[in-house]
C-alpha cells in the first residue's frame, strides 16, 4: 500500500505557483518511494521549470510518469501474488484417499483427477475384457465457436472465462472396457457422475451455459486415439418454468399477455412458447499418454465437442470445445 500511495503522490496534478518569478513546477516523491528505489530524499525532487527548454520539460515529466507507473505495477504484482491461490500439486489416487476432508477442503484437489506414479508412456494392458472404474474427466480449457468481437469476423473457437466454481469435473464413471488382440480398445459408459452444469463467458460478455457430459458414450479405436458419440441432455428439464410461467410439461402454453390464437401463435414467438427438451449429441476423443498395468491405472488427454444450452429450444446452440485430462482404473 505504501508504494501505491507513493505512486498516487507522483501522479497528482502539479500546482503552478504565481508568486515566484520562475514559476517552478515540482514533483515530490514520498519517503517510501525513495527507500524503494534507493534515491536520497534531496535527490528525489524533480523540478521542471516553465522557462526551460520544452524538450527538457517533457523528458523530466515522462521520467516521473515512468517511475509512478513502475511503482503501481509493482504494487499490483505484489497484491495479486499474495492473493493468488495457485494450482495445487496433482496427487496420486492413494495420496488423495489418505487425506481427510479438512485437508482437501478449499485446496482445489477435489476438482482434480489423480495422476499415475510409475508405469510406461504408452498403453501396456494385455488383450482382454476389463471393467473401467473411477473414470475421471478434468477440463483444462473451454472454447466456444462464435463470431469474433470484430465486425463481420468469421466464427471461430474463442477463449472464454470460466464463471463456474471448481465443480465441473466428472468422476466415478464406470463401464466395460475391452482390449482386442489387434490393439484396439472399446469403452461403454454405464454409470457415475457423468454430467456437470458449466457456464463460460465470451470476450464480448455473452455467457454460454452448457451441460458437460459423456452420457451413454461408446468410444472405440486405437489407444492413442479412440473416440465416440455421446448423449447431451437438455440443460433444463421439462418442468422448468421460464419467467412467464411457460414450461415443457407444466405451466402456461402461452405468455399470459398473449392469448392463444393471437400473437402467441406467430412463428417468431412459437419457439418461446413451445419448449423443446430434446437431447442432442456430442463427440469426444481420448488419447492414452501413460499406463501402469501393475496398479491398473491409465491416464491421458481428451477433446470433446458438444452443443451448448438452447434455452429449451429458444436459442441456437453453440459448439463448445472442451480439452483436458482423464484418469481411469482397469480391473479384469
Amino acid at each position: 500500500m505504501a508504494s501505491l500511495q507513493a505512486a498516487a503522490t507522483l501522479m497528482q496534478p502539479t500546482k503552478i505557483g504565481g508568486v515566484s518569478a520562475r514559476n517552478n513546477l515540482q514533483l515530490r516523491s514520498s519517503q517510501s518511494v525513495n527507500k524503494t528505489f534507493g534515491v536520497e530524499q534531496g535527490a528525489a525532487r524533480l523540478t521542471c521549470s516553465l522557462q526551460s527548454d520544452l524538450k527538457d520539460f517533457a523528458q523530466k515529466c515522462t521520467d516521473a510518469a515512468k517511475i509512478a507507473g513502475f511503482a503501481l505495477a509493482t504494487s499490483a504484482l505484489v497484491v495479486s501474488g499474495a492473493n493468488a491461490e495457485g494450482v495445487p500439486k496433482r496427487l496420486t489416487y492413494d495420496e488423495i484417499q489418505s487425506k481427510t476432508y479438512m485437508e482437501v477442503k478449499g485446496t482445489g484437489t477435489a476438482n482434480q483427477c489423480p495422476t499415475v506414479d510409475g508405469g510406461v508412456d504408452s498403453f501396456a494392458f494385455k488383450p482382454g475384457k476389463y471393467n473401467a472404474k473411477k473414470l475421471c474427466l478434468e477440463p483444462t480449457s473451454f472454447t466456444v465457436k462464435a463470431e469474433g468481437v470484430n465486425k463481420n469476423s468469421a466464427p471461430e473457437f474463442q477463449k472464454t472465462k470460466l464463471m463456474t466454481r471448481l465443480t465441473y469435473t466428472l468422476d466415478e464413471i464406470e463401464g466395460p472396457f475391452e482390449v482386442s488382440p489387434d490393439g484396439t480398445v472399446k469403452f461403454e459408459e454405464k454409470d457415475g457422475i457423468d454430467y456437470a452444469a458449466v457456464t463460460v463467458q465470451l470476450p464480448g460478455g455473452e455467457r454460454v451455459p452448457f451441460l458437460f457430459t459423456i452420457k451413454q458414450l461408446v468410444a472405440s479405436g486405437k489407444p492413442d486415439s479412440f473416440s465416440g458419440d455421446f448423449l447431451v441432455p437438455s440443460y433444463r428439464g421439462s418442468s422448468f418454468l421460464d419467467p412467464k410461467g411457460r414450461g415443457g410439461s407444466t405451466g402456461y402454453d402461452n405468455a399470459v399477455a398473449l392469448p392463444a390464437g393471437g400473437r402467441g401463435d406467430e412463428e417468431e414467438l412459437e419457439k418461446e412458447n413451445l419448449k423443446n427438451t430434446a437431447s442432442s449429441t456430442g463427440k469426444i476423443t481420448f488419447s492414452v499418454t501413460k499406463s501402469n498395468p501393475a496398479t491398473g491405472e491409465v491416464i491421458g488427454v481428451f477433446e470433446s465437442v458438444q452443443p451448448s444450452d438452447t434455452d429449451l429450444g429458444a436459442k441456437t446452440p453453440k459448439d463448445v470445445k472442451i480439452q483436458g485430462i482423464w484418469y481411469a482404473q482397469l480391473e479384469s
Side-chain angles (χ1 to χ4, degrees):
M1 295 300 295
S3 59
L4 284 175
Q5 294 174 356
T9 304
L10 286 172
M11 296 300 290
Q12 288 179 352
T14 58
K15 297 182 180 180
I16 301 177
V19 178
S20 175
R22 298 183 64 185
N23 292 333
N24 292 336
L25 179 64
Q26 296 182 346
L27 299 176
R28 294 182 177 86
S29 60
S30 67
Q31 184 177 0
S32 59
V33 172
N34 297 333
K35 187 179 296 183
T36 302
F37 294 96
V39 182
E40 296 296 332
Q41 181 69 22
R45 299 179 179 179
L46 299 177
T47 304
C48 298
S49 176
L50 294 178
Q51 296 178 353
S52 64
D53 185 76
L54 181 60
K55 183 178 180 180
D56 295 337
F57 173 82
Q59 183 63 37
K60 290 180 180 180
C61 292
T62 301
D63 293 341
K66 287 181 179 179
I67 295 175
F70 179 79
L72 286 172
T74 305
S75 301
L77 288 174
V78 172
V79 172
S80 62
N83 295 335
E85 296 179 356
V87 179
K89 177 185 177 182
R90 194 172 298 278
L91 306 176
T92 64
Y93 178 79
D94 292 335
E95 289 174 337
I96 295 176
Q97 296 302 310
S98 66
K99 290 187 175 294
T100 64
Y101 170 79
M102 294 305 298
E103 290 175 332
V104 174
K105 180 182 178 182
T107 63
T109 300
N111 194 57
Q112 287 184 333
C113 292
T115 186
V116 175
D117 189 13
V120 295
D121 297 334
S122 62
F123 186 77
F125 286 83
K126 297 180 180 179
K129 293 184 178 181
Y130 300 86
N131 186 29
K133 291 185 175 181
K134 307 294 182 182
L135 176 61
C136 171
L137 280 78
E138 177 192 343
T140 57
S141 171
F142 298 100
T143 55
V144 177
K145 192 172 186 179
E147 294 183 357
V149 179
N150 298 330
K151 189 176 181 181
N152 299 326
S153 60
E156 59 182 1
F157 283 100
Q158 302 181 28
K159 294 182 179 180
T160 61
K161 178 182 179 181
L162 181 66
M163 308 305 296
T164 305
R165 301 185 69 180
L166 302 181
T167 56
Y168 49 80
T169 295
L170 308 184
D171 203 0
E172 297 291 336
I173 299 173
E174 59 184 47
F177 193 98
E178 183 178 353
V179 182
S180 301
D182 60 356
T184 59
V185 298
K186 181 180 180 181
F187 171 69
E188 295 183 29
E189 189 270 342
K190 293 295 184 182
D191 197 8
I193 306 175
D194 53 9
Y195 69 93
V198 184
T199 300
V200 295
Q201 181 172 292
L202 289 168
E206 180 185 0
R207 295 190 176 182
V208 181
F210 62 94
L211 199 67
F212 174 42
T213 180
I214 58 167
K215 280 184 174 293
Q216 301 181 15
L217 168 68
V218 178
S220 60
K222 293 291 184 180
D224 59 350
S225 180
F226 60 102
S227 60
D229 297 335
F230 57 89
L231 185 71
V232 182
S234 174
Y235 185 82
R236 294 189 175 98
S238 61
S239 60
F240 175 82
L241 297 180
D242 68 5
K244 294 185 180 296
R246 297 169 295 189
S249 59
T250 184
Y252 296 105
D253 292 332
N254 299 74
V256 176
L258 301 176
R263 289 200 62 226
D265 291 335
E266 293 182 4
E267 183 178 356
E268 62 180 17
L269 298 176
E270 184 178 3
K271 60 183 181 181
E272 295 281 355
N273 292 327
L274 301 180
K275 302 301 181 181
N276 183 6
T277 59
S279 301
S280 52
T281 59
K283 185 179 181 65
I284 188 171
T285 300
F286 295 91
S287 178
V288 176
T289 58
K290 191 175 185 180
S291 64
N292 190 343
T295 59
E297 295 174 302
V298 59
I299 194 172
V301 295
F302 74 88
E303 180 178 288
S304 173
V305 178
Q306 65 170 77
S308 66
D309 173 41
T310 64
D311 196 15
L312 295 176
K315 298 179 181 178
T316 303
K318 294 181 171 62
D319 288 337
V320 181
K321 182 187 291 184
I322 308 158
Q323 296 173 321
I325 66 173
W326 65 278
Y327 165 92
Q329 298 178 3
L330 301 184
E331 297 180 356
S332 56

Coordinates of all heavy atoms in Angstrom, one line a residue, residues 73-122:
A73 N 2.6 -0.7 -11.0 CA 2.7 -2.1 -11.5 C 3.3 -3.1 -10.5 O 2.8 -4.2 -10.3 CB 3.5 -2.1 -12.8
T74 N 4.4 -2.6 -9.8 CA 5.0 -3.5 -8.7 C 4.0 -3.8 -7.6 O 3.9 -4.9 -7.1 CB 6.3 -2.8 -8.2 OG1 7.1 -2.5 -9.3 CG2 7.0 -3.7 -7.2
S75 N 3.3 -2.7 -7.2 CA 2.3 -3.0 -6.1 C 1.2 -3.9 -6.5 O 0.8 -4.8 -5.8 CB 1.7 -1.6 -5.7 OG 2.7 -0.7 -5.3
A76 N 0.8 -3.8 -7.8 CA -0.3 -4.7 -8.3 C 0.2 -6.1 -8.3 O -0.5 -7.1 -8.0 CB -0.8 -4.3 -9.7
L77 N 1.5 -6.3 -8.7 CA 2.0 -7.7 -8.8 C 2.1 -8.3 -7.4 O 1.8 -9.5 -7.1 CB 3.4 -7.7 -9.4 CG 3.4 -7.4 -10.9 CD1 4.8 -7.3 -11.4 CD2 2.6 -8.6 -11.7
V78 N 2.5 -7.5 -6.4 CA 2.7 -8.0 -5.1 C 1.3 -8.4 -4.5 O 1.2 -9.4 -3.9 CB 3.4 -6.9 -4.2 CG1 3.3 -7.3 -2.7 CG2 4.8 -6.7 -4.6
V79 N 0.3 -7.5 -4.7 CA -1.0 -7.8 -4.2 C -1.6 -9.0 -4.8 O -2.1 -9.9 -4.1 CB -1.9 -6.6 -4.4 CG1 -3.4 -6.9 -4.0 CG2 -1.4 -5.4 -3.6
S80 N -1.5 -9.1 -6.1 CA -2.1 -10.3 -6.8 C -1.3 -11.5 -6.4 O -1.9 -12.6 -6.3 CB -2.0 -10.1 -8.3 OG -0.6 -10.0 -8.8
G81 N 0.0 -11.5 -6.3 CA 0.7 -12.7 -5.9 C 0.4 -13.1 -4.5 O 0.3 -14.3 -4.2
A82 N 0.1 -12.2 -3.6 CA -0.3 -12.5 -2.2 C -1.6 -13.2 -2.1 O -1.9 -14.0 -1.3 CB -0.2 -11.3 -1.3
N83 N -2.6 -12.8 -3.1 CA -3.9 -13.3 -3.0 C -4.1 -14.5 -3.9 O -5.2 -15.2 -3.8 CB -4.9 -12.2 -3.4 CG -4.9 -11.1 -2.4 OD1 -4.6 -11.2 -1.2 ND2 -5.3 -9.9 -2.9
A84 N -3.2 -14.8 -4.8 CA -3.3 -15.9 -5.7 C -3.3 -17.3 -4.9 O -2.4 -17.5 -4.1 CB -2.3 -15.9 -6.8
E85 N -4.2 -18.1 -5.2 CA -4.3 -19.4 -4.5 C -3.3 -20.4 -5.1 O -2.8 -21.3 -4.4 CB -5.7 -20.0 -4.6 CG -6.7 -19.1 -3.8 CD -8.1 -19.7 -3.9 OE1 -8.3 -20.7 -4.6 OE2 -9.0 -19.1 -3.3
G86 N -3.1 -20.3 -6.4 CA -2.2 -21.3 -7.1 C -2.8 -22.6 -7.3 O -3.8 -23.0 -6.7
V87 N -2.2 -23.3 -8.3 CA -2.8 -24.7 -8.6 C -2.2 -25.7 -7.7 O -0.9 -25.7 -7.5 CB -2.4 -25.0 -10.1 CG1 -2.9 -26.4 -10.4 CG2 -3.0 -24.0 -11.0
P88 N -3.0 -26.5 -7.0 CA -2.4 -27.5 -6.1 C -1.7 -28.6 -6.8 O -1.9 -28.8 -8.0 CB -3.7 -28.0 -5.4 CG -4.8 -27.8 -6.3 CD -4.5 -26.5 -7.1
K89 N -0.7 -29.2 -6.1 CA 0.0 -30.3 -6.7 C -0.9 -31.5 -7.0 O -1.7 -31.8 -6.2 CB 1.1 -30.7 -5.7 CG 1.9 -31.9 -6.2 CD 2.9 -32.3 -5.1 CE 3.7 -33.6 -5.5 NZ 4.6 -34.0 -4.5
R90 N -0.7 -32.0 -8.2 CA -1.5 -33.2 -8.6 C -1.0 -34.4 -7.8 O 0.1 -34.8 -7.8 CB -1.4 -33.4 -10.1 CG -2.5 -34.3 -10.6 CD -2.5 -34.3 -12.1 NE -2.8 -33.0 -12.7 CZ -4.0 -32.6 -12.8 NH1 -5.0 -33.3 -12.5 NH2 -4.2 -31.4 -13.3
L91 N -2.0 -35.1 -7.2 CA -1.7 -36.3 -6.3 C -2.1 -37.6 -7.0 O -2.9 -37.6 -7.9 CB -2.4 -36.1 -5.0 CG -2.2 -34.8 -4.2 CD1 -3.0 -34.8 -3.0 CD2 -0.7 -34.6 -3.9
T92 N -1.6 -38.7 -6.5 CA -2.0 -40.0 -7.0 C -3.3 -40.4 -6.3 O -3.7 -39.7 -5.3 CB -0.9 -41.0 -6.7 OG1 -0.7 -41.1 -5.2 CG2 0.4 -40.6 -7.3
Y93 N -3.9 -41.4 -6.8 CA -5.2 -41.9 -6.2 C -5.0 -42.2 -4.7 O -5.8 -41.9 -3.9 CB -5.7 -43.0 -7.0 CG -7.0 -43.6 -6.4 CD1 -8.2 -43.0 -6.7 CD2 -7.0 -44.7 -5.6 CE1 -9.4 -43.5 -6.2 CE2 -8.2 -45.2 -5.1 CZ -9.4 -44.6 -5.4 OH -10.6 -45.1 -4.9
D94 N -3.9 -42.9 -4.4 CA -3.7 -43.3 -3.0 C -3.4 -42.1 -2.1 O -3.9 -42.1 -0.9 CB -2.5 -44.3 -2.9 CG -2.9 -45.7 -3.5 OD1 -4.1 -46.0 -3.6 OD2 -1.9 -46.4 -4.0
E95 N -2.7 -41.1 -2.6 CA -2.5 -39.9 -1.8 C -3.8 -39.2 -1.5 O -4.0 -38.6 -0.4 CB -1.5 -39.0 -2.5 CG -0.1 -39.6 -2.6 CD 0.9 -38.8 -3.4 OE1 0.4 -38.0 -4.3 OE2 2.1 -38.8 -3.2
I96 N -4.7 -39.1 -2.5 CA -5.9 -38.4 -2.3 C -6.8 -39.2 -1.2 O -7.4 -38.6 -0.4 CB -6.7 -38.3 -3.6 CG1 -5.9 -37.4 -4.6 CG2 -8.1 -37.8 -3.4 CD1 -6.6 -37.3 -5.9
Q97 N -6.8 -40.5 -1.3 CA -7.6 -41.3 -0.4 C -7.1 -41.2 1.0 O -7.8 -41.4 2.0 CB -7.6 -42.8 -0.8 CG -8.3 -43.0 -2.2 CD -9.7 -42.5 -2.2 OE1 -10.5 -42.8 -1.3 NE2 -10.1 -41.7 -3.2
S98 N -5.8 -40.9 1.2 CA -5.2 -40.9 2.5 C -5.5 -39.5 3.2 O -5.2 -39.4 4.4 CB -3.7 -41.1 2.4 OG -3.1 -40.0 1.7
K99 N -6.0 -38.6 2.5 CA -6.2 -37.3 3.1 C -7.6 -37.2 3.7 O -8.6 -37.9 3.3 CB -6.1 -36.1 2.1 CG -4.7 -35.9 1.6 CD -4.6 -34.7 0.7 CE -3.1 -34.4 0.4 NZ -2.4 -34.0 1.6
T100 N -7.8 -36.4 4.8 CA -9.1 -36.2 5.4 C -9.9 -35.1 4.7 O -9.3 -34.4 3.8 CB -8.9 -35.8 6.9 OG1 -8.2 -34.5 6.9 CG2 -8.0 -36.8 7.6
Y101 N -11.1 -35.0 5.0 CA -12.0 -34.0 4.4 C -11.4 -32.6 4.6 O -11.4 -31.7 3.7 CB -13.4 -34.1 5.0 CG -14.3 -32.9 4.6 CD1 -14.9 -32.9 3.3 CD2 -14.5 -31.9 5.5 CE1 -15.7 -31.9 2.9 CE2 -15.4 -30.8 5.1 CZ -15.9 -30.8 3.8 OH -16.7 -29.8 3.4
M102 N -11.0 -32.3 5.8 CA -10.5 -30.9 6.1 C -9.2 -30.6 5.4 O -8.9 -29.5 5.1 CB -10.3 -30.8 7.6 CG -11.6 -30.8 8.4 SD -12.8 -29.6 7.8 CE -12.0 -28.1 8.1
E103 N -8.4 -31.7 5.1 CA -7.1 -31.5 4.3 C -7.4 -31.2 2.9 O -6.6 -30.6 2.2 CB -6.2 -32.7 4.5 CG -5.6 -32.9 5.9 CD -4.8 -34.2 6.0 OE1 -5.1 -35.1 5.3 OE2 -3.9 -34.2 6.8
V104 N -8.5 -31.7 2.4 CA -8.9 -31.5 1.0 C -9.7 -30.2 0.8 O -9.6 -29.5 -0.3 CB -9.6 -32.7 0.4 CG1 -10.1 -32.5 -1.0 CG2 -8.7 -33.9 0.4
K105 N -10.5 -29.9 1.7 CA -11.4 -28.7 1.6 C -10.7 -27.4 1.3 O -9.7 -27.1 1.9 CB -12.2 -28.6 2.9 CG -13.2 -27.4 2.9 CD -13.9 -27.3 4.3 CE -14.8 -26.1 4.3 NZ -15.4 -25.9 5.6
G106 N -11.2 -26.8 0.2 CA -10.7 -25.5 -0.1 C -9.4 -25.5 -0.9 O -8.8 -24.4 -1.2
T107 N -8.8 -26.6 -1.2 CA -7.5 -26.7 -1.8 C -7.6 -26.8 -3.4 O -6.6 -26.6 -4.1 CB -6.7 -27.8 -1.3 OG1 -7.3 -29.1 -1.6 CG2 -6.5 -27.7 0.2
G108 N -8.8 -27.2 -3.9 CA -8.9 -27.5 -5.3 C -8.6 -28.9 -5.7 O -8.8 -29.3 -6.9
T109 N -8.1 -29.7 -4.8 CA -7.7 -31.1 -5.1 C -8.9 -31.9 -5.5 O -8.8 -32.8 -6.3 CB -7.0 -31.7 -3.9 OG1 -5.9 -31.0 -3.5 CG2 -6.6 -33.2 -4.1
A110 N -10.1 -31.7 -4.9 CA -11.3 -32.4 -5.2 C -11.8 -32.3 -6.6 O -12.5 -33.1 -7.1 CB -12.4 -32.0 -4.2
N111 N -11.3 -31.2 -7.3 CA -11.7 -31.0 -8.7 C -10.6 -31.5 -9.6 O -10.8 -31.3 -10.8 CB -11.9 -29.5 -8.9 CG -12.6 -29.2 -10.2 OD1 -13.7 -29.7 -10.4 ND2 -12.0 -28.4 -11.1
Q112 N -9.6 -32.2 -9.1 CA -8.5 -32.7 -10.0 C -8.6 -34.2 -10.1 O -9.1 -34.9 -9.2 CB -7.2 -32.3 -9.4 CG -6.8 -30.9 -9.5 CD -5.4 -30.7 -9.0 OE1 -4.9 -31.4 -8.1 NE2 -4.7 -29.7 -9.5
C113 N -8.2 -34.7 -11.3 CA -8.1 -36.1 -11.5 C -6.7 -36.6 -11.0 O -5.8 -35.8 -11.0 CB -8.2 -36.5 -13.0 SG -9.8 -36.2 -13.7
P114 N -6.7 -37.8 -10.5 CA -5.4 -38.3 -10.0 C -4.3 -38.4 -11.1 O -4.7 -38.4 -12.3 CB -5.7 -39.6 -9.4 CG -7.2 -39.6 -9.2 CD -7.7 -38.8 -10.3
T115 N -3.1 -38.5 -10.7 CA -2.0 -38.8 -11.7 C -1.5 -40.2 -11.4 O -1.9 -40.9 -10.5 CB -0.9 -37.8 -11.5 OG1 0.1 -38.0 -12.5 CG2 -0.2 -38.0 -10.1
V116 N -0.7 -40.7 -12.3 CA -0.2 -42.1 -12.3 C 1.3 -42.0 -11.9 O 2.1 -41.3 -12.5 CB -0.4 -42.8 -13.6 CG1 0.3 -44.2 -13.6 CG2 -1.8 -42.9 -13.9
D117 N 1.7 -42.8 -10.9 CA 3.1 -42.8 -10.4 C 3.7 -44.1 -11.0 O 3.3 -45.2 -10.8 CB 3.1 -42.9 -8.9 CG 4.6 -42.7 -8.4 OD1 5.4 -42.3 -9.2 OD2 4.8 -43.0 -7.2
G118 N 4.8 -43.9 -11.8 CA 5.5 -45.0 -12.4 C 4.8 -45.4 -13.7 O 4.0 -44.6 -14.3
G119 N 5.0 -46.6 -14.2 CA 4.4 -47.1 -15.4 C 5.2 -46.7 -16.6 O 6.4 -46.3 -16.6
V120 N 4.5 -46.8 -17.8 CA 5.2 -46.5 -19.1 C 4.4 -45.5 -19.8 O 3.2 -45.3 -19.6 CB 5.3 -47.8 -19.9 CG1 6.2 -48.8 -19.3 CG2 3.9 -48.5 -20.2
D121 N 5.0 -44.8 -20.8 CA 4.4 -43.8 -21.6 C 3.6 -44.3 -22.8 O 3.8 -43.9 -23.9 CB 5.4 -42.7 -22.0 CG 6.0 -42.0 -20.9 OD1 5.4 -41.9 -19.8 OD2 7.2 -41.6 -21.0
S122 N 2.8 -45.4 -22.5 CA 2.0 -46.0 -23.6 C 1.0 -46.8 -23.0 O 0.9 -47.0 -21.7 CB 2.9 -46.8 -24.5 OG 3.5 -47.9 -23.8

